[in-house]
Amino acid sequence: MRNKFLQILAHYTVIHTWWMAVGILVITLIFGYAVSTLQMRTGFDSLLPGDNPRVAEFNRILEEFQNESNIILLAKGDEDSLKSYARAVKPILEDFDEWVANVHIQIPEEFYRRNALKLIPSDQLDNIGSMYYDPNLVPFLHNMNNSFEGEYQRKDEVLHSREDEIIVVQFLDRLEKFIKIQTAMLNGEQIPNVGQKVVDAITFGETYMLSPDKDMILILIEPTFNMMIEPIELQNSINGIEKIIKDTSVHFGVSAGLTGSLVLGRDEYEAFTSDSWTVSIIALIGIFILFVVSFRMWLSPLLAILTVILGVTWALGFSSILVEYLSMMTAMMSVILIGLGIDFSVHIISGYTEKRNQGLDIHTAMQETLLRFGPGIITGGITTGLAFLTLLISETVGMQEMGLMAGTGIIFTMLATIIILPTLLIIRERFLKNFNKTLSPKDVSYPFLGKIAQFNAKYRWSI
């Protein structure tokens, strides 16, 4: 049955070449349109099984809230410029309510007023509570000093991490702000609502989210979208927000940028869309050069590259029926198919060139080429495809999609090769005949390989 199919294919390729070409073009257009409908989906959640408890919890959060994470704006500059920038960029961003729900440039004081004591560990609460035994200034300072010493100067207490150091520095900053207000009062300055300001100074300290050395500020942007939107929408939204914050930063002499999981998702999408094309083109160029060097011809390698491109289009077009999105694992599928699919073209080109060099006519050369190499190509393509399809038993969605696309992709690339490449080779012959030219003989037999085979046969037991 396989040989019969190959005989019929060789016959139609030679006798009905142009009809074959029209059919190939129509199929390629259909699959090409299907490829254009494939969407990119970033994030590791798309690679995990739907019944994973963490994925289920993640999806539940998205159902109840607008987003799963904030966008983090980081700006660098001097302290006054950073604060001015924060106050200026907040209303500008919030005006773009299509992208931004809220912007937080300071810590939520009212929330902490109501809940701060609930957030403090019980062992620290016992120590801090002694500060408030006496609300008068001198006893308060005395108790605060004792509390600080009790927390950080006991023999069994050390600063274990950078975070512990930052907590101490932040407390000292609050104390400094507290002392500055007291000093100003002693110097006769009139400070409205001074009591509340003194309390806030020691309780909250600096309300802007500054770094310890006060040369960076952190601003939280609460978006109206999440990672589950279309990647192109995610890209446009993040790019729009990024343009606003960078354009505004110029007026205050600070440098600003974005980070966070949503920004990382945007970056992954841009990397996928650009790198997949770049790597695919580099792979094709490298294969073409290798073909030219190996076969000492340039037209046949071009036909092989064209065949691989059309074959990958067929494969991805069919895959678009099976999967809705390209993930991080399947985005580079074209490179895999190019690397594995080019082998089929090598066999057909070398076999057909060899037969034509032996003086066989076009029909006989094509028929013998497909009958000789076709069974191996079909067997190799199906075997490789089935090997990839075994990944369908994986529990991970990403691995299942990888196996499905690679398995069916290899099979479709194989079918495209034995249908497209023979047709292209015959069309080349027809064009040369129209210009009264013939193929120049090319020795693609690699005689040294035959000598190695003879040597191996002669000394097989020693080897």
Side-chain angles (χ1 to χ4, degrees):
M1 180 178 177
R2 182 174 54 187
N3 288 346
K4 183 66 175 177
F5 165 73
L6 292 171
Q7 284 180 334
I8 294 174
L9 180 61
H11 175 76
Y12 271 87
T13 299
V14 177
I15 304 302
H16 304 288
T17 307
W18 297 110
W19 281 113
M20 289 288 291
V22 170
I24 291 169
L25 179 61
V26 171
I27 295 173
T28 302
L29 290 175
I30 293 172
F31 280 132
Y33 173 77
V35 172
S36 67
T37 64
L38 274 174
Q39 300 291 324
M40 186 76 69
R41 188 171 183 179
T42 58
F44 289 98
D45 60 287
S46 62
L47 307 179
L48 299 174
D51 56 355
N52 184 289
R54 296 182 185 274
V55 176
E57 183 67 15
F58 180 78
N59 292 330
R60 187 183 70 81
I61 291 172
L62 291 183
E63 290 176 2
E64 297 188 13
F65 300 94
Q66 284 184 320
N67 56 72
E68 77 281 10
S69 63
N70 289 326
I71 298 172
I72 302 171
L73 191 166
L74 285 172
K76 186 175 180 64
D78 63 81
E79 181 179 355
D80 293 336
S81 297
L82 290 174
K83 291 180 179 179
S84 299
Y85 170 69
R87 290 190 293 268
V89 80
K90 175 180 169 66
I92 296 175
L93 285 172
E94 290 179 339
D95 282 343
F96 288 86
D97 52 7
E98 179 184 357
W99 299 331
V100 178
N102 291 294
V103 177
H104 306 282
I105 63 174
Q106 295 172 281
I107 63 173
E109 293 183 38
E110 292 306 317
F111 174 82
Y112 283 127
R113 290 186 204 280
R114 295 190 304 268
N115 301 286
L117 295 179
K118 302 175 187 176
L119 303 175
I120 299 175
S122 58
D123 58 334
Q124 293 184 17
L125 192 60
D126 292 338
N127 186 38
I128 294 173
S130 63
M131 292 169 51
Y132 304 101
Y133 287 165
D134 193 327
N136 294 304
L137 180 59
V138 175
F140 172 75
L141 292 174
H142 178 75
N143 291 333
M144 181 173 63
N145 180 69
N146 292 339
S147 175
F148 188 84
E149 290 180 350
E151 185 69 24
Y152 295 107
Q153 293 187 0
R154 290 178 302 195
K155 292 182 179 180
D156 59 340
E157 283 289 341
V158 293
L159 300 179
H160 294 284
S161 64
R162 170 70 172 165
E163 183 179 359
D164 292 338
E165 295 176 1
I166 291 175
I167 291 173
V168 175
V169 172
Q170 289 174 342
F171 177 80
L172 294 175
D173 283 343
R174 297 201 301 270
L175 183 58
E176 181 183 19
K177 190 172 183 180
F178 175 86
I179 293 172
K180 284 182 178 179
I181 297 175
Q182 298 289 344
T183 303
M185 288 291 297
L186 292 174
N187 292 334
E189 293 185 25
Q190 296 297 320
I191 303 177
N193 200 18
V194 64
Q196 185 66 56
K197 289 184 177 180
V198 168
V199 172
D200 290 347
I202 200 65
T203 305
F204 305 114
E206 178 59 70
T207 57
Y208 288 92
M209 292 174 277
L210 295 167
S211 61
D213 49 8
K214 302 186 186 303
D215 66 344
M216 293 186 69
I217 193 169
L218 183 148
I219 298 172
L220 299 179
I221 302 173
E222 188 178 330
T224 58
F225 54 88
N226 55 60
M227 191 70 80
M228 298 298 104
I229 66 172
E230 295 293 334
I232 188 66
E233 294 182 26
L234 176 67
Q235 182 185 37
N236 292 337
S237 301
I238 298 295
N239 288 346
I241 294 173
E242 192 168 55
K243 186 177 186 305
I244 294 170
I245 65 111
K246 287 185 178 296
D247 290 347
T248 307
S249 68
V250 174
H251 301 293
F252 295 89
V254 301
S255 58
L258 299 177
T259 187
S261 61
L262 291 171
V263 180
L264 179 61
R266 185 277 308 267
D267 295 342
E268 288 173 351
Y269 173 70
E270 291 181 346
F272 290 153
T273 53
S274 61
D275 290 356
S276 59
W277 280 104
T278 303
V279 174
S280 298
I281 291 172
I282 292 173
L284 289 172
I285 293 173
I287 289 170
F288 175 74
I289 294 173
L290 186 59
F291 253 110
V292 171
V293 172
S294 301
F295 287 102
R296 296 176 294 281
M297 59 179 77
W298 65 271
L299 188 55
S300 292
L302 279 179
L303 297 180
I305 294 299
L306 178 59
T307 300
V308 169
I309 293 173
L310 297 181
V312 171
T313 302
W314 286 22
L316 293 180
F318 181 78
S319 296
S320 67
I321 303 172
L322 306 176
V323 297
E324 187 176 357
Y325 296 97
L326 291 176
S327 66
M328 288 189 294
M329 296 191 68
T330 57
M332 303 300 290
M333 188 57 60
S334 60
V335 180
I336 296 175
L337 296 179
I338 288 171
L340 295 175
I342 196 64
D343 297 347
F344 308 134
S345 297
V346 172
H347 295 304
I348 292 178
I349 288 178
S350 60
Y352 182 74
T353 303
E354 182 181 354
K355 297 301 178 184
R356 289 292 282 148
N357 289 343
Q358 293 173 0
L360 300 179
D361 61 80
I362 295 175
H363 189 282
T364 305
M366 184 57 68
Q367 187 166 11
E368 291 199 12
T369 298
L370 289 180
L371 287 176
R372 179 182 175 186
F373 295 101
I377 291 174
I378 293 174
T379 302
I382 292 176
T383 303
T384 306
L386 290 175
F388 275 109
L389 288 173
T390 58
L391 292 175
L392 287 173
I393 65 175
S394 171
E395 294 183 0
T396 305
V397 175
M399 294 299 291
Q400 292 174 0
E401 292 179 349
M402 175 78 170
L404 187 62
M405 290 189 66
T408 58
I410 286 295
I411 294 173
F412 262 80
T413 304
M414 175 269 295
L415 290 174
T417 301
I418 63 175
I419 293 172
I420 296 172
L421 186 55
T423 304
L424 293 178
L425 291 173
I426 299 302
I427 290 175
R428 179 189 62 174
E429 295 260 13
R430 297 281 166 80
F431 270 111
L432 291 175
K433 185 178 180 180
N434 289 338
F435 290 98
N436 295 319
K437 294 182 178 180
T438 57
L439 284 175
S440 57
K442 297 287 184 182
D443 183 10
V444 295
S445 60
Y446 286 90
F448 76 91
L449 292 177
K451 293 178 181 179
I452 293 175
Q454 292 174 351
F455 180 85
N456 290 344
K458 184 176 181 181
Y459 301 102
R460 56 188 177 277
W461 296 113
S462 300
I463 291 174

